[in-house]
Amino acid sequence: SAVISQKPSRDICQRGTSLTIQCQVDSQVTMMFWYRQQPGQSLTLIATANQGSEATYESGFVIDKFPISRPNLTFSTLTVSNMSPEDSSIYLCSVEADRENYGYTFGSGTRLTVV
Amino acid sequence: GQQLNQSPQSMFIQEGEDVSMNCTSSSIFNTWLWYKQDPGEGPVLLIALYKAGELTSNGRLTAQFGITRKDSFLNISASIPSDVGIYFCAGRPYGNKLVFGAGTILRVKS
């Protein structure tokens, strides 16, 4: 299955600033997914990043707050903009393993703390 | 949207005991996945299920895709300390998105 490198692994940021998280995959994938995992909670899908088109956002998430780039089939970034303490979470990128195996592979996550 | 109900919320068991957890949904899913997440890591896929009634094993882990397509269970036999972690079920309705359960926190007492 695909290997995902995600960075930074963790960061502590001041409120009002922005952080860009990078996700690099070792193979070409059609779709990449960005998730948020709030402390002690499950995973919530933020958006689906498609190469060559705008990301598709889930209810409750907007492009102005979480802009996403997908410049090619192996890379994506998620920016958390104008951060507040409520944005403190783990952010994870994920890809579909392959067409036959519907399992999804996850990066190790970015643990964000906003102070 | 679709929601998954995962239970139990947490378990504290003796090493060597068997563990069972399950997920139910109000709607039909065409794929069920079980993940384990260790602290500071992303979820790692344990078992993937694609067909109603399917029973799949991975070492000491066994999972089944319910016949109604609305539920799945995961069993862990003869638990060991490294089984500690958070276990998530995830369902895939028709389409690309995964929906996750709330997770089961497993603690093992040796």
Side-chain angles (χ1 to χ4, degrees), chain B residues 10-21 36 38 60-61 75-87 104-110:
Chain B
S10 65
M11 305 179 74
F12 189 17
I13 63 168
Q14 185 72 40
E15 181 179 358
E17 288 185 355
D18 296 342
V19 172
S20 184
M21 59 192 78
K36 183 189 177 197
D38 292 323
R60 294 178 294 106
L61 278 62
N75 289 340
I76 305 172
S77 62
S79 58
I80 59 177
S82 61
D83 290 334
V84 165
I86 305 176
Y87 291 80
T104 295
I105 300 171
L106 178 62
R107 299 183 181 90
V108 179
K109 184 168 50 177
S110 56

Side-chain angles (χ1 to χ4, degrees), chain A residues 10 31 33 35 37 40-45 48 56 58 90 92 94 96 100-109 111, chain B residues 6 30-31 33 35 37 39-45 48 50 86 88-89 92 95-103 105:
Chain A
R10 58 178 62 231
M31 283 183 285
F33 305 90
Y35 285 84
Q37 186 176 24
Q41 301 296 316
S42 186
L43 286 77
T44 301
L45 181 64
T48 302
T56 304
E58 297 301 303
I90 299 173
L92 299 131
S94 174
E96 190 173 0
E100 294 181 354
N101 176 358
Y102 290 98
Y104 290 69
T105 301
F106 284 83
S108 56
R111 183 179 295 273
Chain B
Q6 183 172 351
N30 70 342
T31 300
L33 307 169
Y35 286 87
Q37 185 176 29
E41 299 293 328
V44 174
L45 182 65
Y50 311 120
I86 305 176
F88 290 101
C89 63
R92 177 173 168 165
N96 304 101
K97 304 171 189 176
L98 283 185
V99 178
F100 281 82
I105 300 171

Side-chain angles (χ1 to χ4, degrees), chain B residues 1-65:
Chain B
Q2 294 93 350
Q3 288 187 327
L4 293 182
N5 298 309
Q6 183 172 351
S7 64
Q9 195 172 30
S10 65
M11 305 179 74
F12 189 17
I13 63 168
Q14 185 72 40
E15 181 179 358
E17 288 185 355
D18 296 342
V19 172
S20 184
M21 59 192 78
N22 69 85
C23 273
T24 60
S25 169
S26 59
S27 56
I28 292 174
F29 283 4
N30 70 342
T31 300
W32 283 95
L33 307 169
W34 285 93
Y35 286 87
K36 183 189 177 197
Q37 185 176 29
D38 292 323
E41 299 293 328
V44 174
L45 182 65
L46 299 174
I47 293 179
L49 303 161
Y50 311 120
K51 298 178 184 177
E54 180 179 355
L55 183 70
T56 298
S57 293
N58 178 7
R60 294 178 294 106
L61 278 62
T62 301
Q64 184 159 32
F65 191 146

